Amino acid sequence: MPAFNGYPVETLEFLHELEVNNNRAWWDENKARYEAVVREPSLDFITSMGPEIAKISEHFSAVPKKVGGSMMRPHRDVRFSKDKTPFKTNIGIQFRHEQAKDVHAPGFYLHIDNTGCFLAAGCWRPEPGALKKIRARIHERPKDWQKARDARGFKNLYVLGGSSLKRPPRGYRADDAMIEDLMRKDFVGSTEFSAADIEKRDFLKQCSGAFKKAAPLMGFLCAALEVPF
C-alpha cells in the first residue's frame, strides 16, 4: 500500500452524506465510494502507523485488514438499540495490545466524525477482572499512578474522561487519597483535533506524536493488567 499522506477531502463529505442517507439502498449504491475515500485511506493510515506504534511499544498491533483488523467495521450492532440505522457515520481505528480480545482492552484510538474528532489512549470500560486489577494497582502504588496521570506531555494534551461510580467501589474508603481515580469505570485520556487536520500530509505524525505522549498511562495500565509494555 502507498504511504499515507492524509485523507482525501471526499472522506468527510462521504460521512456527511451517509448520515443523511443511512440506509442499505444508499450504501449499496455508494459502496465503491466508501472503499475509495474511507476504507482504503484508513488501511494506508494503519499500515503507515505500524512502525510508529512499534516505537512506543512492540506489544501493540496495527493490522491493515478489511475485516478483523485495526479498523472497526462500518455496520452497527442494532440488536439492542432503539436506533436502527445500519451504518456508523464515523471512522474508528484502534491499535490494541497483542493480548487483547476486544475494544475494552488497552489501546490507542482514532475517531473521525463530522461532529467531532479525537484521539484516545487507555482502557474503555475494562471488564470486571481488569477493572479490579487497575484499581488495586492505583491503591497499592499511588505514586506510580500519579506519575503516569500527571506526566507533563500527557497532562498538557489529554483529558482523563469517561464514567465514574457515584460511591466508592467495594473495599475502598471514601477518604482514600486516590478515591476520585479509584471510582473511575474508564481509564481513557482523549484529545480533540480539527476535522480539517485529517487532510494534512503530517496527520500521521500528529497522531503518532500524541500517542507517544500517552505512553506513561499505557505503561501503567499494562503493568496493572500484567501484560508487557
Side-chain angles (χ1 to χ4, degrees):
M1 287 186 179
F4 179 83
N5 291 306
Y7 278 88
V9 295
E10 295 87 358
T11 300
L12 290 175
E13 294 174 4
F14 178 88
L15 295 178
H16 173 69
E17 289 181 39
L18 175 58
E19 187 174 6
V20 176
N21 303 279
N22 200 331
N23 59 76
R24 295 188 182 279
W26 187 89
W27 175 269
D28 290 341
E29 292 176 2
N30 291 271
K31 191 172 182 180
R33 289 178 61 207
Y34 167 78
E35 294 285 347
V37 304
V38 177
R39 177 174 275 169
E40 290 304 321
S42 292
L43 294 179
D44 290 344
F45 175 87
I46 294 166
T47 299
S48 298
M49 183 60 80
E52 301 302 316
I53 291 292
K55 292 177 185 177
I56 302 172
S57 169
E58 62 182 12
H59 300 289
F60 286 79
S61 301
V63 184
K65 294 169 57 178
K66 289 186 177 182
V67 179
S70 297
M71 185 178 182
M72 296 181 175
R73 66 192 187 103
H75 301 82
R76 296 181 62 249
D77 184 351
V78 300
R79 291 174 299 171
F80 309 108
S81 175
K82 292 182 179 179
D83 179 1
K84 298 301 181 181
T85 51
F87 302 102
K88 299 172 184 175
T89 57
N90 68 276
I91 298 171
I93 296 174
Q94 187 182 43
F95 304 102
R96 303 177 191 169
H97 194 277
E98 62 188 4
Q99 296 186 22
K101 295 181 179 180
D102 56 35
V103 297
H104 305 285
F108 300 93
Y109 178 69
L110 165 66
H111 184 96
I112 297 173
D113 193 324
N114 275 292
T115 60
C117 300
F118 64 89
L119 297 169
C123 287
W124 176 73
R125 298 293 164 85
E127 54 88 17
L131 181 57
K132 185 176 181 180
K133 288 182 178 181
I134 295 171
R135 286 174 174 161
R137 193 167 184 87
I138 292 174
H139 178 68
E140 295 165 4
R141 302 195 177 199
K143 291 184 178 179
D144 289 353
W145 167 246
Q146 290 174 312
K147 185 177 180 180
R149 182 197 65 189
D150 300 335
R152 181 178 299 177
F154 177 77
K155 192 172 183 178
N156 287 346
L157 183 63
Y158 288 87
V159 175
L160 272 175
S163 300
S164 295
L165 297 172
K166 294 182 178 180
R167 298 178 181 178
R170 182 176 298 179
Y172 296 98
R173 295 170 55 91
D175 60 355
D176 191 298
M178 295 290 105
I179 194 59
E180 183 176 339
D181 291 317
L182 291 169
M183 290 171 62
R184 294 183 183 277
K185 293 191 287 185
D186 302 305
F187 295 87
V188 177
S190 63
T191 178
E192 297 180 353
F193 61 89
S194 168
D197 288 346
I198 74 169
E199 300 167 12
K200 297 178 180 177
R201 293 180 63 86
D202 66 349
F203 180 59
L204 183 87
K205 183 178 180 180
Q206 176 184 341
C207 294
S208 62
F211 287 154
K212 187 178 297 183
K213 292 179 180 179
L217 175 72
M218 300 300 283
F220 180 92
L221 294 174
C222 286
L225 300 175
E226 303 174 290
V227 296
F229 179 68

